[in-house]
Amino acid sequence: MPEGDTVFQAAARLHAALAGNILTESDFRVPRYATTDLTGDTVEEVVARGKHILVRLPQRTFHSHLMMDGQWHVYERGTRWRKPGFKARVVIGTEQVQAVGFDLGIVEVLPREDEAEAVGHLGPDLLGPDWDSALAADNLAREPNRPIGLALLDQRIMAGVGNVYRSELCFLRGVDPATSVREAGDPTAWAELAHRVLYANRNRTARVTTGDPRHGRRLWVYGRRGKPCLRCARPVESGSLAGPSDLERVIYRCRACQR
């Protein structure tokens, strides 16, 4: 599932292309909204909220979530799409551009005043103007017996961490992902580190947590099963946690560096 920085970048691209312009094209290719027409509305802004994207119009909000495979592409009029048309779930556009949402996991149109129904459950947004490390730390501490590796993925605690950052944060803190929140150390330190790492990557095309942008050296443990740890050279392991989805079960760690 895309991380918060990926969604932040997608929202920024959409905002740059659409904000302040009148929609001249509106094509919802999902049954529930097949007759919905946004043409004539002016896009006021496009914002990311955790892993959600909100296209705000004068009276309505178009809400989407990328889930596992979703992507937003922006094309100049007349440009050939880079993905097949049957994967497009939404097409909105102006006289100059088309914004195409491929394989979106969630598509819905809400009255502006009902946005909370879509995103009100989320904790502080790690890349948003409402970021609050103290609130995120309090949220994290509420379930002290929960494994830290599962708590970090809970968007109700703080919004934006995915499996990549979960693995990297645990490495940076020197903590095994299976360790309970109670034993994992200061919740504020976890929240502040998550914010620093995502903020540093908010505009990068290649995610870096090691400080080394070279290929193969950008991440400490994520995706490095069987490869030497970049700190101690012991092979990185992958394992599992008892989470509600396969995504939450997959973890990466260095046994020597994360005790």
Side-chain angles (χ1 to χ4, degrees):
M1 185 177 292
E3 313 271 327
D5 53 354
T6 299
V7 180
F8 177 87
Q9 293 171 21
R13 289 193 298 271
L14 290 171
H15 181 84
L18 300 175
N21 294 299
I22 297 173
L23 293 179
T24 59
E25 182 177 11
S26 171
D27 181 7
F28 284 81
R29 303 179 181 184
V30 293
R32 182 180 178 185
Y33 295 103
T35 61
T36 297
D37 185 5
L38 303 182
T39 58
D41 280 358
T42 298
V43 177
E44 295 185 352
E45 62 179 346
V46 184
V47 298
R49 186 74 174 84
K51 299 183 182 183
H52 303 252
I53 293 178
L54 304 175
V55 179
R56 289 176 172 152
L57 309 167
Q59 303 295 327
R60 295 177 285 185
T61 296
F62 166 35
H63 165 230
S64 65
H65 193 299
L66 304 184
M67 301 299 281
M68 289 295 293
D69 301 312
Q71 294 181 341
W72 273 103
H73 292 185
V74 176
Y75 301 97
E76 292 186 6
R77 285 280 172 193
T79 303
R80 183 176 180 179
W81 295 356
R82 297 192 302 274
K83 298 190 74 171
F86 71 85
K87 289 183 172 290
R89 301 197 71 199
V90 179
V91 184
I92 55 176
T94 68
E95 292 182 353
Q96 293 77 34
V97 301
Q98 284 184 310
V100 187
F102 294 101
D103 296 317
L104 300 177
I106 294 176
V107 172
E108 62 178 347
V109 179
L110 305 166
R112 279 284 291 266
E113 61 269 21
D114 292 341
E115 274 188 13
E117 294 182 6
V119 297
H121 65 287
L122 299 174
D125 184 347
L126 282 154
L127 293 177
D130 70 332
W131 170 247
D132 184 334
S133 60
L135 177 57
D138 287 345
N139 292 343
L140 186 60
R142 284 177 186 159
E143 295 186 69
N145 296 322
R146 194 177 189 185
I148 187 67
L150 293 182
L152 289 171
L153 292 183
D154 189 338
Q155 303 302 294
R156 298 169 300 175
I157 292 174
M158 52 184 168
V161 174
N163 203 27
V164 177
Y165 283 120
R166 179 262 297 266
S167 297
E168 296 298 291
L169 289 170
C170 287
F171 180 88
L172 289 166
R173 293 279 294 157
V175 174
D176 189 293
T179 304
S180 69
V181 169
R182 177 186 289 108
E183 297 175 337
D186 181 10
T188 299
W190 282 97
E192 291 179 346
L193 179 62
H195 179 249
R196 288 199 304 273
V197 173
L198 265 79
Y199 190 81
N201 283 284
R202 71 195 185 283
N203 293 320
R204 287 177 175 160
T205 55
R207 191 174 289 127
V208 179
T209 60
T210 61
D212 187 341
R214 291 177 294 174
H215 180 71
R217 301 188 67 84
R218 296 169 184 154
L219 301 176
W220 288 108
V221 290
Y222 182 81
R224 293 183 54 82
R225 178 182 178 182
K227 296 180 181 179
C229 171
L230 296 177
R231 178 177 291 164
C232 73
R234 177 171 175 161
V236 172
E237 299 179 10
S238 67
S240 63
L241 290 177
S245 70
D246 290 340
L247 173 66
E248 293 187 349
R249 293 189 182 102
V250 179
I251 58 173
Y252 297 88
R253 59 190 166 197
C254 172
R255 293 282 188 182
C257 296
Q258 297 171 255
R259 294 190 178 278

